[in-house]
Structure formats: structure tokens, C-alpha cells
Amino acid sequence: MAPRLPLPPIPPLAVPREVRRAVRLTLLTALTTLFGYGLFLFFGFLRDLFRRLLLDRAEPDELMGYAPICPAFEDFYTRRIYRRIQDCFGRPIASAPDAWIDVVERSSNDNNKTLHRTSNKSRCLNLGSYNYLGFAAGDEFCTPHVLHSLKKYAPSSCSARADGGTTQLHIELEDLIARFVGKPAAITFAMGYVTNSFIIPTLIGEGGLIISDSFNHNSIVSGSRASGATVQVFQHNSPSHLEAVLREQVVKGQPGTGHKPWRKIMVIVEGVYSMEGEFCKLPEIVAICKKYKAYIYLDEAHSIGAVGKSGRGVCELLGVDPADVDIMMGTFTKSFGSCGGYIAASEEIIQYLKYACPAHIYATSMSPPAVQQVISAIKVVLGEDRSNRGAKKLAKIRENSNFFRSELKKMGFVVLGDNDSPVMAIMLYNLAKLPAFSRACLRQNVAVVITAYPATPVLLARARICISASHSKEDLITGLKVIGEVGGLVGAKCLPAEPEKAKKLD
């Protein structure tokens, strides 16, 4: 959940039919969820009214003549809803994000308005980090190479790539990424979010059309808005609706120009949707984009390194030729245990980005040790460390993910996400269930991530589970026992369970 981002208006009750079907959203669930939000809003507005009438009759002198610095509803939502459960978010940890982590305990003396870190720590099972292949903790191959690069290159280049921030490591990484994903060339950036939000405006602008999946990440939304291009949205993971939108826009052309053709059309999708754990229907989308001469921009932040037989992402998993995807984007923050992002494309596009993208020209380049971490991790995945540990990690994450997902479903949870995806969402729906679920899991030393509006639609609050290759079978069984118990206490099991399976877990 991102409470500091500008909050969009609360959407209407209507939820797309295919989404309702996938999440088992019934009318009773929708009404009780909205009723809960209504209570929060009503009493929140009532308390603000009495505060203005009784305590804040006069405007403070320091605000005289100034407009509020925060939007009114965002300020209200943060104070009256988010802060009530803020102890469930942003929990600091005091260890590497491995299978088990040390969570720093916090206390509050003012009804959760202010949190204070204590000196106490809880050793918790980590079901929230993106450490898909287990590289975020120490690794027998990666760590020595990273330490050597730290001594040779120092922690930072202190410069942008276009100035003096390009080392031999950056060049090696870009060549390796291009070879890994099957594209002619690649370019790297120091931050994954920036990769989307700066590349999209560099590639398309006024007179262009962006057609974006309705569940795309905020970085894609930010980049699309900043581009100046016209933005259209198609229903989540619906190739048929994508084709309908494309056909309509090709016929209409640019608005107010007498049907002048679009300068370019770009379709943007994600490989694995980070809040749902679903794979995009890439083969169908590629076929439609070829038919209408539209470019494809594929965000593989959560899929590169984590899915596919050799970790090469959804193209490998779904049998799509990388040559059919014009722009391949990914990050190093998930599977590879580092930071930054990349764009892989044709040599002409990459050369253009080096001269035109502000994130390359002005932003500080990736830290050399972080670059070395990615290089070493990819070499392990490819087996270039002279071992088969990479293949074992890929097999392990698929096995762990499918086992955990199937067991959750057998216990009666509504779970989103496709098989082989390391991301899965346990649907909780009701806002009041979120803190109850999170706090109860933490008391039993299981750390989970909960998320609700504005990061998800109002009616689709959930707990998001991220599985790692570093989890053992015993770790997963421990997590399943706790989640199963807590889910029963908060009423999160919406489907009939299989009692004989519970005996096996015991």
C-alpha cells in the first residue's frame, strides 16, 4: 500500500465480470466491504467536523493565505484510515531478506498515530520479499565477486553514465543481459521504477497512443502520463478487449485532427502482474499487435529470472520469440538480489536511449558492486559458475510456489495467481480483516504483506505472498499452518476446505 501517492477517486461498485469471477466476489462480500469503508469515512468526517467546530475555530497564523499542501481527501484517508493500521506497513527489518528475517518490534503510546522502534526483534518467516532465487542473502559465488568489485571500483561511480559513470562492469552487464533475454542490445539504470517512468516518455510523446493494461504498475502509469501521449486502458489480461480498443483507435485516429493517423501505437503489459501473480496472455497479445502494427512494451520486473525453464521470463515460458517483443524491460531488485533495471531492444533503440533518456544522461549510474551482484547471479542461473545451482534454484521456486498455492486453495482460501508464478494473493476483501490477519501472523512469527486501496481496487484487499527458492519445505509448512489458523480466525476462508489435507500438514 502506498499512502503517500496521490489518491485517485474511489471507484464505483462495478467490478469487471472476469475479475469478479476470478476473486469469487459476491454481492454480500462487496456490500459488507463497502459498509466497512462507509463507517470509517462517516466517523472520520464526524470527528473532523467536531474538531473544526470545537478546537480549530481560527486558522493557524502560519497557514494564513496558503493553500493546503496535501490534497484534502489524501490527508483525510491517511489520518483516519491508514494511520489506524500503519503498524502493519513499513516494518523495519534488521537482517538480510532471506527465508527468515529479524523484524524490529515497534510500540505506540498514542493509538498507533506514532510508532517508535524498540530494541526487540522477532525472528519471522519471510513471505513478503521479492527474493525469488535467494540471492539477496550471502551467496557462495556472488558474495566474493561483489566484495572484490567493492575494493576495485568503490561503492559508487559518483557520476552519470553519460559522464564518467560507465565502468567495465556496466558494459559487461549490458552485454550479458542482452544475451540472457535474447535481444541485440541492452541499457541499464540505477532504479527499476525510473526505468519505466523515464523510458516511456522517451519512446513516445504527443501524437502517440499508449494502450495499457488496467492493472499495470504505478511506474508505467507515471511514465504514460508524463509522455504526453494519449492513454487508453484495456481490461486486465483481455486480448479481445485489447483488439477492440486497438481497432477503434486505428479507425478514429488522433482526436481533433480529422482522423489523422497516430504517430505510433504502443501496447504495455507486464509479464507477471505484481498484485495478482498472473501471467500476461503474451502470445495472443503479440498476434494482435502484429495485426495492427503496434509496438509491444513488456515489463518483466517480476518474471525475469523467476520463470521459464532457464529463468528467461515469460517469453521462454509461453513460447514467444523475443524478436516479437519490441521493448523488454526488467529489474534486478527481485530475482537477482540487487538494484536497478534494464531495457533490452534493438541496437538502434538502445543507441537512441543513450542519447535521449534523462535517466541515462543525468542520473547516477548503478553502484559497481550492485552491477557485479547481477552479473554473478545471472552467471549462476546460466550455469556459468561451473555448477548446477541455478537450475536447482529455478526448479525449487517452481516447486515451492505450486505447493504453497495448491495448499492454500485446499484450505479454502481464494488465491489469485497462475501455476509457476512466485507471487500469489490471498483475498481478504474487508478492510478490517487486513490488520487482524497481519498482526495475528506476526504474533506467530510469520511476516506477510497486506495491501488495499489505493494499491488495489476498493473491493479487492488482499495479502500478497512472495515465495523464494530459499524456502525449505519445512518453512512452507510452518507458514501454511499459521496462515490456515489465522485465516480461520478472521473469516478469510471463502471456499470449502479439504479436511484430509489438513491432517497431512500436521
Side-chain angles (χ1 to χ4, degrees), residues 187 189-205 218-227 297 327 329 343 352-353 356-363:
I187 185 173
F189 302 90
M191 183 179 177
Y193 190 99
V194 165
T195 306
N196 275 332
S197 58
F198 274 78
I199 285 295
I200 294 172
T202 306
L203 291 174
I204 190 169
N218 183 266
S219 60
I220 295 175
V221 175
S222 297
S224 300
R225 289 174 175 171
S227 68
Y297 185 108
I327 309 294
M329 177 269 178
I343 292 291
Y352 167 73
L353 294 177
C357 181
H360 180 82
I361 299 172
Y362 301 111

Side-chain angles (χ1 to χ4, degrees), residues 45 143 348 443:
F45 281 120
T143 303
E348 292 78 10
R443 282 194 295 269

Side-chain angles (χ1 to χ4, degrees), residues 135 139-141 309 377 379-396 398:
F135 284 119
D139 182 83
E140 61 187 71
F141 180 80
K309 184 177 180 180
K379 286 184 177 181
V380 172
V381 172
L382 292 174
E384 295 180 7
D385 64 331
R386 300 180 182 179
S387 77
N388 63 346
R389 290 194 308 120
K392 287 182 178 179
K393 285 178 177 288
L394 290 167
K396 185 68 172 177
R398 286 192 294 269

Side-chain angles (χ1 to χ4, degrees), residues 345-377:
S346 66
E347 292 182 357
E348 292 78 10
I349 292 176
I350 297 302
Q351 191 67 18
Y352 167 73
L353 294 177
K354 289 180 179 179
Y355 288 104
C357 181
H360 180 82
I361 299 172
Y362 301 111
T364 303
S365 64
M366 281 182 67
S367 166
V371 175
Q372 181 62 63
Q373 168 66 26
V374 181
I375 292 173
S376 302

Side-chain angles (χ1 to χ4, degrees), residues 116-187:
H116 304 280
R117 289 189 294 271
T118 69
S119 58
N120 300 324
K121 303 172 189 173
S122 299
R123 190 68 175 168
C124 297
L125 177 64
N126 181 12
L127 294 178
S129 295
Y130 303 136
N131 184 25
Y132 296 141
L133 294 183
F135 284 119
D139 182 83
E140 61 187 71
F141 180 80
C142 299
T143 303
H145 287 80
V146 170
L147 293 175
H148 176 73
S149 69
L150 179 62
K151 295 176 182 178
K152 182 177 180 180
Y153 293 100
S156 173
S157 64
C158 296
S159 181
R161 289 290 304 277
D163 296 329
T166 298
T167 68
Q168 185 60 39
L169 289 177
H170 292 85
I171 298 172
E172 181 182 353
L173 175 59
E174 289 172 345
D175 292 341
L176 184 59
I177 280 291
R179 175 163 62 91
F180 184 62
V181 303
K183 299 297 282 185
I187 185 173

Side-chain angles (χ1 to χ4, degrees), residues 72-137:
F73 181 71
E74 179 177 346
D75 176 64
F76 171 83
Y77 190 92
T78 301
R79 288 186 294 104
R80 296 304 183 193
I81 296 181
Y82 169 73
R83 284 185 181 173
R84 290 174 177 267
I85 59 174
Q86 66 173 327
D87 61 297
C88 299
F89 306 104
R91 289 171 176 153
I93 65 173
S95 65
D98 207 353
W100 290 80
I101 54 176
D102 293 327
V103 179
V104 178
E105 298 179 9
R106 295 177 293 178
S107 62
S108 176
N109 299 321
D110 54 2
N111 296 321
N112 218 30
K113 293 180 181 178
T114 306
L115 297 175
H116 304 280
R117 289 189 294 271
T118 69
S119 58
N120 300 324
K121 303 172 189 173
S122 299
R123 190 68 175 168
C124 297
L125 177 64
N126 181 12
L127 294 178
S129 295
Y130 303 136
N131 184 25
Y132 296 141
L133 294 183
F135 284 119

